[in-house]
Amino acid sequence: MTPVRVLAVASEVYPLVKTGGLADVAGALPVALKTHGVEMRTLLPGYPDVMRLLSGTEELRRWPDYFGGPGRLLAGSHAGLDLFVLDVPHLYARPGNPYVTADGVDWPDNGVRFAALSRVAADIGHALVPAFVPDVVHAHDWQAGLAPAYLHYDDRPRPGTVMTIHNMAYQGKFAPALLGSIGLPWHAFNVDALEYFGGISFLKAGLRFADRITTVSPTYAKEIQSDEGGMGLGGLLRQRSDVLSGILNGVDTEVWNPQTDPHIAYRFDAEELTFRAANKAVLQQQFNLDSSDETPLLGVISRLSWQKGLDLLLEAIPTILREGMQLALLGSGDRDLQDRYQAAARANPGRIGVVIGYDEILAHLIQAGSDALIVPSRFEPCGLTQLCALRYGAVPIVSRVGGLEDTIVDIGEADTSGHDATGFKFAPVTADALAGTLRKANVAFHDKLTWRRLQRSGLATDVSWRNRAGDYAALYRDLMARRS
Ligand code: ADP
Ligand code: GLC
């Protein structure tokens, strides 16, 4: 097997910096690819947490003026990941969320911040680091979208390029004037290049110029070719459908392992599902819910945004109460949703528990202790929490979109698909359909045999990266073969 060298470019990488699933994927994929003969190094910005955690640091390059201030390219490692870190303090030495200020608004210079990241990715593609000359540059989301564009306009021999879409809703839109300050030619302001409704879009740049486009599930790959799912870029994706494919995400099965998880109260495996009850009791305590093993406990771990459909779950709270169920929600995001969930918790003590914030440890406990995990998304490129739920014996209740459609087998579909049912799927994505499915899940919960069967087939589902990483390895190899 010929070894392949791949430079991955991502704006967040678990466990160094994370706001969502992109970080999980960027952190787990390089490790999984090792057994497929792929040597992957990951380039990310030198945010304060990254600089603090990086070890074995070596300075590869120093610039007196990199996009308006001094900068360095470092090599180093963390948690088994080989990293390139772009240390440019005037762009990245800012605490907190990588994209927004403490008030939750985008940093005004995000265009320059992520153009700088893509510029150095393209330079590494051109052998800036002689010890690691990549065969492929793999850009994740809009923050890395300019990498394929720089490589295109540089007009030199270049590596192959892959653009992966984790979320069409974030397109990296900026004013055209930015082009002048990020070293792209003015003719890139063109409808067949970066121009997008009078501005420029970094995601469009990646989709336009990458040799291959992937997204994180086969169903999302279809959805984004429609006008609605493409969110403005459906036409371009239809044009490029011959190079577009969907590869499902996996989860890091070391981090998410109920047999060894240090964050849960009681560890368990498929044979000892009764031990989940002990985690449920701790979860009920932590969310100030009445302690009762017989009460079905619904869990949610999510960003609170329009995408995730959690306004629909708020509308379904009367059903949750009427059905005698409980809800434990961990999330942060939209102020309005945060306030409404907190109000629901105040109005229903013992029944609705809400923690606003980002808390990895609590996320693990919800997976281990809730009976069902709800993901009512309006769209979901892949979704990772339902995969973790399968692995922890929490039965997923999901909307029938994107990766949720591809990863969960509905209780009514088991016979036709040939796979055992692992959860519940609802459509259309409305509060009524969700409420109806919650009622159905409640009936199933009280039929112990049915529920155990759902849990066991979830636990038997392979949600690891093992096979999925092989699809990326095959894609890189195919790209290399066609380019040589
Ligand atoms: P997205 O990337 O759209 O947010 P995913 O389901 O792909 O959705 O990934 C979300 C990741 O972030 C999961 O690892 C999930 O456990 C984690 N997560 C989301 N919200 C929180 C939170 N409030 N606290 C802890 N972890 C969270
Ligand atoms: C995005 C999507 C989510 C996906 C994740 C990782 O944030 O919203 O569905 O699982 O990226 O690919």
Side-chain angles (χ1 to χ4, degrees):
M1 205 163 40
T2 348
V4 188
R5 285 186 161 175
V6 181
L7 176 71
V9 192
S11 58
E12 49 183 275
V13 181
Y14 180 86
L16 293 117
V17 49
K18 166 169 164 177
T19 71
L22 165 62
D24 292 313
V25 173
L29 188 54
V31 181
L33 281 166
K34 278 185 189 159
T35 55
H36 294 275
V38 176
E39 186 192 339
M40 179 173 269
R41 294 215 189 172
T42 306
L43 168 70
L44 80 165
Y47 313 114
D49 284 346
V50 174
M51 298 306 292
R52 192 170 47 78
L53 293 167
L54 197 67
S55 61
T57 313
E58 183 194 346
E59 185 178 297
L60 300 173
R61 212 40 201 261
R62 178 184 280 268
W63 301 274
D65 185 354
Y66 192 77
F67 287 80
R72 301 183 302 162
L73 179 67
L74 308 173
S77 62
H78 181 72
L81 297 167
D82 293 319
L83 303 167
F84 289 122
V85 171
L86 183 61
D87 174 31
V88 184
H90 77 281
L91 299 179
Y92 308 126
R94 305 172 192 180
N97 180 293
Y99 316 119
V100 299
T101 66
D103 298 327
V105 289
D106 288 355
W107 288 107
D109 58 347
N110 272 351
V112 176
R113 296 175 76 217
F114 294 106
L117 182 72
S118 294
R119 181 62 265 178
V120 82
D123 291 334
I124 296 172
H126 292 313
L128 178 71
V129 183
F132 186 84
V133 181
D135 301 298
V136 175
V137 172
H138 185 165
H140 292 277
D141 270 356
W142 74 264
Q143 292 90 344
L146 287 192
Y150 280 121
L151 284 163
H152 169 81
Y153 287 110
D154 287 345
D155 208 15
R156 294 164 54 183
R158 63 167 181 85
T161 50
V162 177
M163 178 78 223
T164 292
I165 305 160
H166 295 266
N167 198 322
M168 281 311 287
Y170 304 103
Q171 304 186 339
K173 292 186 261 187
F174 301 98
L178 184 66
L179 279 179
S181 55
I182 58 175
L184 280 170
W186 286 110
H187 63 259
F189 188 63
N190 175 311
V191 69
D192 288 322
L194 274 66
E195 193 276 330
Y196 188 58
F197 297 110
I200 57 172
S201 156
F202 285 17
L203 180 62
K204 180 177 176 185
L207 300 180
R208 173 66 188 81
F209 293 115
D211 298 320
R212 297 298 170 87
I213 302 169
T214 71
T215 188
V216 289
S217 69
T219 294
Y220 196 57
K222 282 189 215 125
E223 290 170 353
I224 57 179
Q225 294 181 57
S226 70
D227 287 338
E228 194 194 344
M231 297 182 165
L233 290 164
L236 173 57
L237 289 168
R238 286 196 291 279
Q239 263 174 35
R240 304 218 63 208
S241 61
D242 53 330
V243 296
L244 165 64
S245 60
I247 300 177
L248 273 180
N249 286 333
V251 296
D252 187 327
T253 48
E254 303 271 308
V255 175
W256 296 98
N257 182 351
Q259 293 179 50
T260 57
D261 194 330
H263 303 314
I264 63 180
Y266 294 88
R267 301 186 188 124
F268 58 94
D269 64 22
E271 304 312 314
E272 304 162 323
L273 278 173
T274 44
F275 284 89
R276 294 187 88 256
N279 289 306
K280 179 169 174 177
V282 175
L283 184 59
Q284 284 170 328
Q285 230 170 31
Q286 294 215 7
F287 277 80
N288 293 320
L289 297 169
D290 300 336
S291 39
S292 148
D293 190 35
E294 282 311 302
T295 305
L297 171 50
L298 309 171
V300 174
I301 306 158
S302 188
R303 289 186 291 118
L304 300 180
S305 72
W306 183 84
Q307 171 191 349
K308 300 293 178 180
L310 290 164
D311 49 321
L312 308 175
L313 184 62
L314 269 172
E315 286 182 54
I317 284 182
T319 303
I320 293 177
L321 298 173
R322 225 178 298 120
E323 291 285 309
M325 300 169 129
Q326 294 177 333
L327 173 68
L329 175 134
L330 167 65
S332 63
D334 290 357
R335 283 281 148 78
D336 177 55
L337 280 174
Q338 293 187 175
D339 293 348
R340 287 167 70 195
Y341 270 105
Q342 278 174 322
R346 276 193 304 273
N348 301 286
R351 307 290 306 282
I352 307 287
V354 169
V355 172
I356 297 299
Y358 186 90
D359 186 331
E360 290 276 341
I361 294 175
L362 207 47
H364 283 245
L365 186 64
I366 292 178
Q367 296 287 10
S370 56
D371 295 301
L373 189 94
I374 308 189
V375 192
S377 306
R378 291 195 165 85
F379 69 96
E380 195 60 73
C382 180
L384 298 175
T385 58
Q386 84 282 9
L387 299 179
C388 299
L390 291 174
R391 195 157 160 75
Y392 276 66
V395 175
I397 300 176
V398 305
S399 54
R400 201 178 266 286
V401 296
L404 301 173
E405 169 75 312
D406 295 338
T407 55
I408 303 303
V409 182
D410 181 73
I411 189 156
E413 283 174 356
D415 296 341
T416 48
S417 70
H419 294 285
D420 291 334
T422 53
F424 299 83
K425 294 198 273 201
F426 67 93
V429 190
T430 60
D432 273 355
L434 170 59
T437 304
L438 292 177
R439 286 194 293 272
K440 199 156 105 181
N442 198 22
V443 173
F445 175 80
H446 290 289
D447 172 357
K448 291 292 169 230
L449 270 180
T450 301
W451 200 257
R452 261 302 130 80
R453 212 174 311 127
L454 286 169
Q455 287 179 305
R456 282 194 202 287
S457 34
L459 281 149
T461 304
D462 181 9
V463 295
S464 75
W465 273 107
R466 227 174 338 239
N467 295 319
R468 292 137 188 209
D471 292 347
Y472 280 104
L475 179 86
Y476 303 142
R477 286 214 163 77
D478 188 40
L479 191 52
M480 271 172 76
R482 278 164 203 264
R483 292 185 59 78
S484 57

